[in-house]
Amino acid sequence: MTAATHSTLFPQVPQSADAVLDGLDPEQRAVATALHGPVCVLAGAGTGKTRALTHRIAYGVRAGILQPGSVLAVTFTNRAAGEMRGRLRQLGAGGVQARTFHSAALRQLQFFWPRAVGGELPRLVDRKIQLVSDAAAACRLRLDRGELRDVTAEIEWSKVTQTVPSDYVAAAHKAGREAVRHPAEIAQIYANYETLKRDRSVIDFEDVLLLTVGILQDRHDIADQIRSQYQHFVVDEYQDVSPLQQRLLDLWLGDRDNLCVVGDASQTIYSFTGATSDHLLNFRTRHPSATVVKLVRDYRSSPQVVHLANGVLARARGRAAEHRLELLSQRDPGPEPVYAEYADEPAEAEGAARRIHELIASGVSAGEIAILFRTNSQSGIYEQALADAGVPYQLRGAERFFEREEVRRAGRALRAAARFGGNDAELDEAVDLPSQVRAVLSGEGWTTEPPAGSGAVRDRWESLAALARLAEDCARAEPTATLADFVTELDERANAQHAPTVEGVTLASLHAAKGLEWDVVFLVGLAEGMMPITYAKTEEQIEEERRLLYVGVTRARSHLGLSWALSRSPGGRPNRRPSRFLDGLRPGSTGSAARSASRGRGGVEHGARSDAAGPTGEARRRGARKVARCRMCGRTLEAVEMKLMRCEDCPSDMDEGLYERLLEWRARTAADLGQPPFCVFTDKTLIAIAESAPEDEGELSRIPGVGVRKFRAYGSDVLAICAGQILDDELEGADGDD
């Protein structure tokens, strides 16, 4: 796993401002030299946007046009900010501030709070789940773990979109938000949550931005002081800016226009958190005099990968699609993307693991391979398949590298060796930096050969092995580097959260893979219901799913595998179909299929179908009714029969045992909610579920009577019952009977 562009250790700092521009292509050079006024950089995936940004800042500093302390570069992750600081340091512009929005705001809030409000800044809570749970309890509402996560996400969305509790119901309806609880209940929990925070003198992550905005709006003297310090602003990933972040940026700027933004509307994949590409797409409207530069030369991916990426977006709709960038690969040709269809999900996971094992045996580094999936819940089957194949792996989003206990212990040992190593006989025998580091790491459990199998022991070994490889990189980059130099490099990387590569296949969701790249990428689970995800209904949601696949495709440098399974479990009904986004791209598919799939699923053409005016709308309705046929005899169904998808007088193939369990579950659930049973599911819906016995989210969501809200509220329980699993409340009931 690597960041978007490889970095080197101990490089030579460019000797002059002009030398900073060496190696930039014409468009990147145009970005680097546009140092005045508003600048908008539209940068496609793999086009070197971070390179252009850092060289722009470094060129301005080295040329004496920008003062390092007057520049604030803002991005969205600590990793990206750390990488930016590292690159600026390498270019001779180490005094520039590169931070996330929250980090920059928190520093300002901590500094100005005593002056603006008085006293100490309230404590910042790391996780708000417990507070949300307490707020729900105050409303006499009981939320399970999944509901707590959903309600917490709604509160976070409300705050970044600057929606107060009293406005939540209307705002959520307007934005098309769908949650597992009624909007009025969420608004009540939200209001209690804010009250609890005040009573307990704590603030949350979003409050950091809200309070900073409030101070800058109310205290012009403080705003002027910040503006006098920061004269020039750079914002990376501008397509992910929320309304609250944009408001803070506007207050930082004041009436000035020394702003450079970089983004790609085709990589907008976080709208569920409040991010919007509108600020990027409207930039030229807000700043008519802006310099606009488009970066389309793709240095990351082969022509074959780029061709597929362009194809994924070719049928995109909406405003972001109107501004899509056609990438041009700058790399040598590579292998064609490989499409694979499997009978079931375990076979798909085993196929990926088998292919990865072959690649590693042929010399491909495990750290340059990734398996990317739509949801984190898909990871387990791939973890098992890789473990069975003897392939090391790491889960993206796990504990930070430099916060791991074995890494912290190794760091302390290396620091002690750098100071007092003259008294260590083992170090005396080490002739160079790598051997010195290996000697120290040996005392911490590192061995020349990895331990057998996977698990915690292998994880610790991989962490130490990553440090050993980093020492080798240091020695290659700077042959005279000492152990003290290496320790300094480790400290700088720890401060920047710039971890070395852990040698293992990366398992990550598509969202978590944003900003990363690998030589080999396997995109798995690309079946309807998962890509696009089953609960993506509107055209906007479908288009975001398409962009998510585009992000996944553009993570690959050369080898790209795309796969799907026809059923969830071995022996299951093979009724899945490949993602509509691959129609017209994968062998044997057609473009027309993609268009019909888009119209027929996910509500993409919902607006057109709801148009009752004229015979066209009526013809569409009649046409839609004709395709609803009895699955037993084939006769066209009447409207009242469509929920069962069979004629009333046709024999039922219902699983009676499953139906009884569903009835019992519905009774318990309705009693817990204090509602009549039909409010959970009607009898006909339960019969339809028992007859079809859905195996996955896609199959369940397509049953009439299972809407988005009920799917989110009850889907996991229903699928578990259909799979023969015992629910926790059933176990509690059994214990009570004893």
Side-chain angles (χ1 to χ4, degrees), residues 4 36 55 79 83 108 139 159 165 204 240 253-254 256 275 322 376 450 504 539 578 582 619 638 640 648 708 713:
H36 300 288
H55 281 69
R79 181 195 58 78
E83 181 188 357
Q108 294 173 13
C139 303
K159 299 184 78 165
D204 62 24
D240 291 332
L253 275 167
R256 300 166 298 174
E322 295 171 2
N376 287 318
E539 180 171 308
L582 301 180
E638 299 296 330
V640 295
E648 292 280 4
V708 174

Side-chain angles (χ1 to χ4, degrees), residues 658-673 677 679-682 685-686 689 700 710 713-721 727-730:
L658 174 58
Y659 182 58
E660 289 300 322
R661 285 195 65 202
L662 288 169
L663 283 174
E664 294 170 0
W665 164 82
R666 185 182 67 171
R668 293 193 306 271
T669 303
D672 289 343
L673 296 173
C679 290
V680 179
F681 283 122
T682 65
T685 299
L686 285 191
I689 293 172
L700 176 60
K710 289 188 176 182
Y714 313 124
S716 59
D717 281 357
V718 171
L719 287 173
I721 293 171
L727 302 181
D728 291 342
D729 57 353
E730 290 181 289

Side-chain angles (χ1 to χ4, degrees), residues 365-656:
S365 167
E368 287 297 347
I369 303 174
I371 297 177
L372 307 181
F373 30 74
R374 176 60 181 83
T375 67
N376 287 318
S377 62
Q378 296 169 270
S379 73
I381 194 169
Y382 290 93
E383 293 179 56
Q384 185 63 54
L386 291 173
D388 291 345
V391 175
Y393 65 87
Q394 58 173 330
L395 281 170
R396 177 70 183 166
E399 186 181 21
R400 288 178 176 177
F401 181 87
F402 287 104
E403 293 174 358
R404 299 175 189 174
E405 179 58 31
E406 65 271 20
V407 174
R408 296 170 67 179
R409 284 206 329 264
R412 290 194 292 269
L414 288 165
R415 193 170 291 105
R419 291 179 179 175
F420 312 113
N423 299 323
D424 192 327
E426 289 187 356
L427 288 182
D428 289 341
E429 298 175 3
V431 296
D432 55 16
L433 175 61
S435 58
Q436 288 177 330
V437 171
R438 287 194 294 267
V440 175
L441 296 180
S442 295
E444 300 299 320
W446 178 82
T447 57
T448 55
E449 294 296 326
S454 58
V457 174
R458 179 61 181 257
D459 290 343
R460 287 193 293 271
W461 185 90
E462 292 287 355
S463 297
L464 299 177
L467 293 175
R469 288 191 299 273
L470 183 61
E472 294 171 358
D473 291 341
C474 285
R476 279 194 296 270
E478 181 54 61
T480 61
T482 65
L483 195 56
D485 293 329
F486 182 69
V487 168
T488 300
E489 177 69 20
L490 286 181
D491 290 339
E492 290 175 347
R493 282 172 170 258
N495 291 332
Q497 287 300 332
H498 184 191
T501 299
V502 173
E503 194 64 18
V505 174
T506 298
L507 295 175
S509 71
L510 288 165
H511 283 100
K514 177 75 167 60
L516 303 173
E517 64 181 68
W518 296 267
D519 284 342
V520 183
V521 169
F522 289 84
L523 300 177
V524 298
L526 300 183
E528 284 290 311
M530 194 58 74
M531 177 54 68
I533 197 75
T534 187
Y535 50 76
K537 299 295 184 184
T538 66
E539 180 171 308
E540 290 80 7
Q541 291 168 339
I542 294 292
E543 289 306 313
E544 181 142 337
E545 292 289 297
R546 188 194 306 274
R547 294 193 295 270
L548 191 56
L549 178 59
Y550 170 78
V551 166
V553 170
T554 55
R555 299 311 94 193
R557 295 195 195 100
S558 54
H559 295 269
L560 179 63
L562 305 97
S563 64
W564 57 91
L566 297 179
S567 68
R568 186 184 69 176
S569 305
R573 288 190 300 275
N575 55 1
R576 291 177 172 176
R577 64 174 296 270
S579 169
R580 71 191 73 173
F581 300 144
L582 301 180
D583 288 338
L585 300 174
R586 61 183 175 85
S589 63
T590 63
S592 60
R595 287 189 289 273
S596 64
S598 294
R599 291 194 176 109
R601 297 175 185 265
V604 175
E605 291 292 329
H606 179 70
R609 276 207 289 266
S610 66
D611 182 8
T616 302
E618 183 61 31
R620 283 186 181 137
R621 283 191 293 277
R622 286 198 302 269
R625 190 170 297 161
K626 286 179 181 177
V627 300
R629 297 183 180 275
C630 174
R631 54 190 170 82
M632 307 298 291
C633 68
R635 182 180 68 81
T636 301
L637 296 176
E638 299 296 330
V640 295
E641 300 172 321
M642 291 178 66
K643 182 161 286 190
L644 292 176
M645 293 307 294
R646 63 173 172 83
C647 305
E648 292 280 4
D649 54 356
C650 275
S652 170
D653 56 353
M654 179 175 66
D655 183 330
E656 296 289 347

Side-chain angles (χ1 to χ4, degrees), residues 20 31-32 35 51-63 66-68 71-74 84 88 91 93 96-98 232-234:
V20 172
V31 173
L35 296 173
R51 177 180 174 82
L53 269 188
T54 52
H55 281 69
R56 177 183 188 271
I57 295 170
Y59 176 71
V61 169
R62 299 292 298 279
L66 304 176
Q67 295 300 314
V71 180
L72 178 59
V74 186
M84 188 175 289
L88 289 170
L91 293 169
V96 173
Q97 292 291 313
H232 197 96
F233 295 86
V234 176

